[in-house]
Amino acid sequence: MTPYTDDILATLPVECLEGIEIWRARVPLISWKRTEWYLPDRVMRQFGGIQFTDIPPMELNFRRIDGRGRADLDWTVQYRDYLEIWEDRRAYVVAITRPEGTGNQELRTYLWWYRSWASIYLLQPQTEPPETFFPRSPGERLVVRRNNIYF
């Protein structure tokens, strides 16, 4: 992962840079009927910092809130605590700890930790055309039916 450089940031549209001062805020992300924590300290390499591995959870009892099927709830009440944190989001910006020297030692430590628990799946590219075809859309199904193509 290469950090965002000033040259890269300069190429982005203005809309993408709105809120740059809170990109590292450790706050709940709130959508209409869903909330979950944004943990920028898990992606600090994007910001040129050391990627730590001992990041505690925000709340030990936190469960993603999913409001499907609960249209009768007042979400401003349900999310009151999270809304207060969001309103004060500038106070929750995570500081960047810059690596010493080249940062290779910190990167090696992080990659060792990451590989110790992550399941990395690299798939081989498909070289042969598929033997079966499953039409996905009504248009594809119509073409298959009209041409009497059956798989």
Side-chain angles (χ1 to χ4, degrees), residues 16 25-26 29-30 32 40 46 50 60 66-68 75 77 85 88 94 103 112 132-133 136 142 148 150-151:
C16 294
R26 196 174 207 223
L29 298 178
I30 303 166
W32 280 100
Q46 288 178 300
I50 294 173
L60 293 175
D66 187 343
R68 289 178 287 192
W75 293 101
V77 173
I85 293 170
D88 195 26
V94 177
W112 179 86
T132 58
F133 173 73
R136 297 170 297 203
L142 183 62
N148 294 320
Y150 298 100
F151 296 93

Side-chain angles (χ1 to χ4, degrees), residues 37-143:
W37 283 100
Y38 172 59
L39 305 172
D41 31 7
R42 294 191 178 183
V43 291
M44 289 308 285
R45 293 194 63 226
Q46 288 178 300
F47 304 106
I50 294 173
Q51 183 67 54
F52 293 105
T53 57
D54 56 346
I55 302 164
M58 279 304 290
E59 297 177 69
L60 293 175
N61 59 349
F62 179 77
R63 287 184 26 234
R64 286 187 178 142
I65 299 171
D66 187 343
R68 289 178 287 192
R70 297 190 278 172
D72 57 330
L73 286 178
D74 182 351
W75 293 101
T76 59
V77 173
Q78 186 78 14
Y79 290 154
R80 181 182 308 123
D81 295 339
Y82 299 123
L83 289 168
E84 288 175 8
I85 293 170
W86 175 251
E87 290 300 323
D88 195 26
R89 59 193 168 273
R90 284 169 180 78
Y92 293 91
V93 173
V94 177
I96 296 175
T97 303
R98 301 282 178 196
E100 294 180 21
T102 62
N104 286 340
Q105 180 57 41
E106 292 88 351
L107 178 58
R108 194 174 349 224
T109 302
Y110 168 71
L111 290 175
W112 179 86
W113 170 82
Y114 180 77
R115 290 180 182 131
S116 72
W117 67 266
S119 298
I120 301 172
Y121 296 101
L122 299 176
L123 302 176
Q124 294 296 322
Q126 188 171 354
T127 57
E128 299 293 324
E131 294 179 12
T132 58
F133 173 73
F134 299 100
R136 297 170 297 203
S137 68
E140 287 180 358
R141 287 191 286 275
L142 183 62
V143 169

Side-chain angles (χ1 to χ4, degrees), residues 8-47:
I8 291 172
L9 294 174
T11 65
L12 296 175
V14 176
E15 297 83 18
C16 294
L17 297 173
E18 289 178 8
I20 194 169
E21 72 279 1
I22 61 165
W23 283 0
R24 296 185 336 267
R26 196 174 207 223
V27 293
L29 298 178
I30 303 166
S31 183
W32 280 100
K33 292 184 179 177
R34 167 168 249 148
T35 186
E36 59 186 70
W37 283 100
Y38 172 59
L39 305 172
D41 31 7
R42 294 191 178 183
V43 291
M44 289 308 285
R45 293 194 63 226
Q46 288 178 300
F47 304 106

